[in-house]
Structure formats: structure tokens, C-alpha cells
Amino acid sequence: MTNLLITGGAGFIGANFVHHWRTAHPADEVVVLDLLTYAGNRASIDHVAGVDLVVGDIGDTALVEQLLIERRIDTIVHFAAESHVDRSIIGPDAFIDTNIVGTHSLLKAARKAWLDSGSGQPHRFHHVSTDEVFGSLGPNDPAFSETTPYAPNSPYSASKAASDHLVRAYHHTYGLQVTTSNCSNNYGPYQFPEKLIPLFLINCLHGRQLPIYGDGMNVRDWLHVSDHCRGIELVIERGRVGEAYNIGGGEELPNLAVIDRICAAVDVAFAADPSLAGRFPDAPAARGVPTETLKTFVTDRAGHDRRYAIDETKARSELDYVPRLSFEEGLAQTLAWYLANEDWWRPLLTR
């Protein structure tokens, strides 16, 4: 039996991981540590049995150490982070505080509880990171591998790069048993509606403009959150200590293609379910107007990386990781979830 501390477990990826782990490992103890900032939502995990939510800050080293000792935690899965690039450009301080200082606080607590106490307890500190730490790719550049040099271009990615280095350093210097995963763009249920797919889905339903940065041809690799959770599980269970693993979805798409697919999916949904026109009367699709009429191009974001792509060869060969959902399947499931869970996302629109 494993005793897990999941930081940021009320956020998007963390909450999905909580759901996944409780289903796959029902005998394990799960403690979630989350500060419940704007992107943390207790409603995302309230109905999951056997999960203990502790509202607190990863920067509170004493609290983390207490949890590790009293709950006999042997595995930390660290999701807690500020993650929205636009917010990092406007206010980078929060990203430094949470992503760098907060991660260091966790590492200090883990070192003290697991190493300095002399208990010799088997343990794992798994750190969840991003492909953005590798910078930007040209159209013909090879995809990011685990050996790609770091070249972060935003305050967000720079803060995540720093946290990656701290995790690595605590392994090599102190012997902390760590692994790291770097993922591509996630999407799926419980995603806060500031990220592209939920934001644009909800804008489509309300007849609001779909603001497209620059020419819309910035390319991302899209990863359904359920595949990401399985990938993290494999790293924890089979990954080599001290190693990093890239987890991707194998779906490289320009933003404009993603937005076009969102618009088309909304049109299909309204055509198939006439009740949607009554629920969302401001949607163009409610009047039989193509949703794509909402598209509008806006000034590009500062320092906008042109292309990300993940080479997941290492995860495939060492962990047998293979993404299961195509983007088409994942997007259909995601749209269906947001249409069925209006009571979850509507209160978030005022945050």
C-alpha cells in the first residue's frame, strides 16, 4: 500500500490524477494539499471517496513535514504550480513564489522527513513539469527529448525550469529519490476556463469572440489529461530514480486547427441536441450560424513560443507508455463533459 501526498490535487491535472489513482489503487491512502487559489476547486474532488483534503500552502515547510510524518507519506506527486503563461507575463512574482520557492519548501520537508530522520524509508518525490522549459522549436526541428537543453522563454517556463533543476539537485546532492515528467499541452475535464480549449468552448456557448493570437499557427502537442495521468503512474511505478520522462499525446496541431475543430464540434453538438439552443441562446449555433464566425485575430502574446513537440521514445521504451486517445476522440469527450457539467464551470466565470 502507498501513502500519497498530492500537491495541487484540486487543480486541473491534479484532480484528474486523484480520480485516476483512487480508481486504479483503491487501497492506497491519498492526502491532497491545495491552497485553493483561483484555479483550485474542491468541487473537482469532493465526490471522490477516500481523499483527505488539507487546505494549505506548499510553502509552509513545517506543515508539509508534519503531513509526511503523521500520515506516513511515502510518495509525493507534485502538481501544485502557477501555470498560465499570460498571467506570468503580467505578474511573474507569484510564479517565482509558488513554482520555485514552493517546490524548494517541499524538497526541504521531504529531505528532513525521509532522509535526515535516518528512517531509511523507501520514498518517491515525483515532480510534474512541462515541455515549455525546452523553449521553442522551428518547423523542422526535432521534437523535445529528455536531453534537449533548457531554454525557457516566459516567466512561467523559467520558474518551472528552476524547479526541475532543484529536484534534480536534491537527488544528486542529498540522495532524495526523485523522478520528473515533462508533459505537453493538457486538456480534458476540470480544466479552469482560462486555457485555450475550455475558454473557447465556453465562449462558443455564450457567443463571445474567440481571440486568436497572431496568425494562429503556433503549434502544440495535445495530450488528453487521462493519458497524462497514466503516464505519471507509469513513471512512479516503473521509472528509474533520478530520471526525467517526456509524456506527450502525439498530436501536433496549430492553434488555428484546434479552434476550427472546437467550432465544428460545437456546431455538430447543437445540431444533434436541440435543447442546447434553449440552454445557450447566445451561441451562434443556436441560430444555425456557424460558430467559426466568432473567430477574431488579436495581437500576438509577448514571447510566444512558435512550436512545441514531444519525443516520448524514452517513456515508450522504458515504461510502455502509449497515449490512448486521439485528439478527435479526446475533444469530443471534453466537449461532452463541459456540456454535462455546467454547474461545475459556471461559478468559475466570476473568478
Side-chain angles (χ1 to χ4, degrees), residues 107 127 150 152 158 160-171 180:
L107 290 165
H127 175 58
Y150 277 34
K160 290 298 288 184
S163 67
D164 291 7
H165 292 320
L166 282 169
V167 171
R168 173 184 169 85
Y170 263 69
H171 169 65
T180 295

Side-chain angles (χ1 to χ4, degrees), residues 82-101 154-160:
E82 296 286 344
S83 65
H84 192 46
V85 175
D86 286 1
R87 288 179 183 264
S88 82
I89 294 171
I90 297 169
D93 288 4
F95 291 74
I96 305 303
D97 292 341
T98 300
N99 299 352
I100 302 177
V101 179
S154 71
Y156 161 61
S157 57
S159 67
K160 290 298 288 184

Side-chain angles (χ1 to χ4, degrees), residues 6-329:
I6 302 175
T7 72
F12 164 44
I13 307 175
N16 277 279
F17 185 79
V18 168
H19 285 256
H20 174 83
W21 197 272
R22 291 302 299 151
T23 300
H25 307 271
D28 289 355
E29 298 291 333
V30 174
V31 178
V32 168
L33 177 62
D34 200 298
L35 192 55
L36 297 180
T37 58
Y38 78 94
N41 188 351
R42 67 170 69 239
S44 299
I45 57 172
D46 260 351
H47 55 292
V48 184
V51 174
D52 186 4
L53 171 62
V54 176
V55 179
D57 191 343
I58 60 172
D60 186 342
T61 310
L63 170 62
V64 176
E65 185 183 343
Q66 179 184 1
L67 289 173
L68 296 180
I69 294 171
E70 292 184 356
R71 307 299 181 93
R72 298 182 179 178
I73 301 296
D74 52 50
T75 303
I76 295 174
V77 190
H78 177 32
F79 293 96
E82 296 286 344
S83 65
H84 192 46
V85 175
D86 286 1
R87 288 179 183 264
S88 82
I89 294 171
I90 297 169
D93 288 4
F95 291 74
I96 305 303
D97 292 341
T98 300
N99 299 352
I100 302 177
V101 179
T103 298
H104 189 225
S105 170
L106 286 173
L107 290 165
K108 288 191 294 182
R111 177 192 172 195
K112 187 169 183 181
W114 290 339
L115 300 178
D116 293 351
S117 66
S119 67
Q121 177 185 10
H123 62 270
R124 176 66 64 89
F125 186 112
H126 181 72
H127 175 58
V128 181
S129 190
T130 172
D131 58 359
E132 297 191 41
V133 298
F134 300 119
S136 184
L137 293 170
N140 300 314
D141 289 339
F144 300 132
S145 74
E146 291 80 2
T147 60
T148 301
Y150 277 34
N153 291 320
S154 71
Y156 161 61
S157 57
S159 67
K160 290 298 288 184
S163 67
D164 291 7
H165 292 320
L166 282 169
V167 171
R168 173 184 169 85
Y170 263 69
H171 169 65
H172 285 276
T173 302
Y174 304 114
L176 196 68
Q177 304 295 287
V178 309
T179 45
T180 295
S181 55
N182 296 83
C183 69
S184 53
N185 272 37
N186 278 227
Y187 69 100
Y190 302 108
Q191 188 169 27
F192 188 80
E194 66 181 357
K195 299 297 179 78
L196 190 151
I197 288 179
L199 173 65
F200 278 43
L201 282 175
I202 292 170
N203 280 6
C204 290
L205 298 177
H206 290 91
R208 299 170 184 158
Q209 287 190 336
L210 306 179
I212 303 166
Y213 282 133
D215 61 1
M217 296 307 292
N218 299 75
V219 174
R220 300 293 181 263
D221 174 65
W222 291 92
L223 171 66
H224 192 273
V225 68
S226 64
D227 282 326
H228 186 197
C229 291
R230 284 192 310 103
I232 293 170
E233 178 186 34
L234 288 169
V235 175
I236 293 170
E237 294 180 339
R238 305 184 195 176
R240 290 182 287 135
V241 170
E243 293 291 316
Y245 295 87
N246 283 352
I247 301 174
E251 296 275 0
E252 239 189 288
L253 294 167
N255 288 343
L256 191 56
V258 172
I259 294 162
D260 285 340
R261 293 189 189 190
I262 292 171
C263 293
V266 170
D267 290 344
V268 169
F270 272 74
D273 183 358
S275 71
L276 292 177
R279 289 173 57 193
F280 305 105
D282 295 328
R287 307 185 303 276
V289 176
T291 302
E292 67 176 5
T293 57
L294 296 174
K295 293 192 303 184
T296 183
F297 291 88
V298 299
T299 302
D300 205 358
R301 180 171 69 200
H304 199 179
D305 289 339
R306 190 63 173 175
R307 172 177 168 248
Y308 303 147
I310 282 282
D311 179 352
E312 62 206 26
T313 301
K314 183 177 178 179
R316 287 177 182 264
S317 62
E318 292 190 18
L319 311 176
D320 294 325
Y321 167 75
V322 179
R324 292 175 179 169
L325 284 178
S326 68
F327 183 75
E328 193 170 359
E329 294 168 325

